[in-house]
Amino acid sequence: MPQTKASDVTADAMACCAPLTEAPLSEAEAVELARVMAALADPVRLRLLSLVASAPEVCSCELEGPLAKSQPTVSHHTKVLAEAGLITGERRGRWTWWHVNPEALVAIARALGA
Amino acid sequence: MPQTKASDVTADAMACCAPLTEAPLSEAEAVELARVMAALADPVRLRLLSLVASAPEVCSCELEGPLAKSQPTVSHHTKVLAEAGLITGERRGRWTWWHVNPEALVAIARALGA
DNA sequence: TGATAGCATTTACATATATCGATATTTCTA
DNA sequence: TAGAAATATCGATATATGTAAATGCTATCA
């Protein structure tokens, strides 16, 4: 399960780094931010994120169609986004419902100094 | 030379896409945004960008030291960032001076809906 | 309890990329 | 024009990653 706990969310660690435009990033800050950016550096994941973010919650089974990807591939991408702290999965019965994590998006924008 | 003209800057094409959180991204929008994100998905490039963004302008020769990378590697990364529209290179004499492109950072933040 | 549905994991493979040595190109200077 | 300096490009290699088939796991239902 990609049921990432809040303590695992890398976006939290990233939220503390100062904006890019104010001071050079440390090695550790850069590695952490790069990990989150890498989660966003794939067209399928961006579309997946936008599908989740545009609705209150989305089931995994509602993603395979629009994304035109296999079930294992969709599962892989949701896991990557969840580990980056961008979405959160909640299992209810046989379905996993996904929610966007708005704070993570704000943290990225802040890290970019924009 | 990575002297990218304004017409080549992918951030321009990206600036027109609606925020992630409002509507699902189209395939083309996702590909374009992913290309810019990929440029930010590397620790060395993030530190390079922060070095450039934290100063009015930075010479390539001032990057090898802080980044602890070889000259070809630094040249490669500046090219990637320039092609993504995040920085602009201006050649004056034997030196290339790099500037951040603030509009590109704002466009990313807007695309993320944050 | 057996069968089915939804999702996660493993495994394998093709592609992409970060890195650097060697070399080419451009520009300044003597 | 020759030589040096700064940067860009090429070639090679190791690593990372997107993708899906095969398989495992858990919850629901007859």
Side-chain angles (χ1 to χ4, degrees), chain B residues 10-70:
Chain B
T10 60
D12 287 346
M14 196 195 65
C16 63
C17 70
L20 264 183
T21 51
E22 293 186 4
L25 263 56
S26 71
E27 178 69 29
E29 287 173 332
V31 169
E32 197 57 39
L33 184 52
R35 192 195 314 275
V36 179
M37 290 302 191
L40 295 171
D42 181 87
V44 176
R45 280 198 292 272
L46 283 174
R47 294 183 60 215
L48 197 164
L49 177 63
S50 70
L51 286 167
V52 171
S54 301
E57 63 181 2
V58 175
C59 172
S60 290
C61 58
E62 296 177 275
L63 294 171
E64 298 177 30
L67 295 177
K69 295 294 172 185
S70 69

Side-chain angles (χ1 to χ4, degrees), chain A residues 4 9 11 36 40 45-59 63 78 81-90 92 96-108, chain B residues 19-23 25 111-114:
Chain A
T4 56
V9 172
V36 179
L40 295 171
R45 280 197 292 273
L46 283 175
R47 293 183 60 215
L48 197 165
L49 177 62
S50 70
L51 286 167
V52 172
S54 301
E57 61 182 2
V58 175
C59 172
L63 294 171
T78 52
L81 287 172
E83 286 179 346
L86 295 164
I87 62 176
T88 302
E90 180 189 351
R92 293 204 298 270
T96 300
W97 297 92
W98 298 99
H99 312 260
V100 69
N101 185 0
E103 296 82 6
L105 298 177
V106 173
I108 295 171
Chain B
L20 264 183
T21 51
E22 293 186 4
L25 263 56
L112 293 178

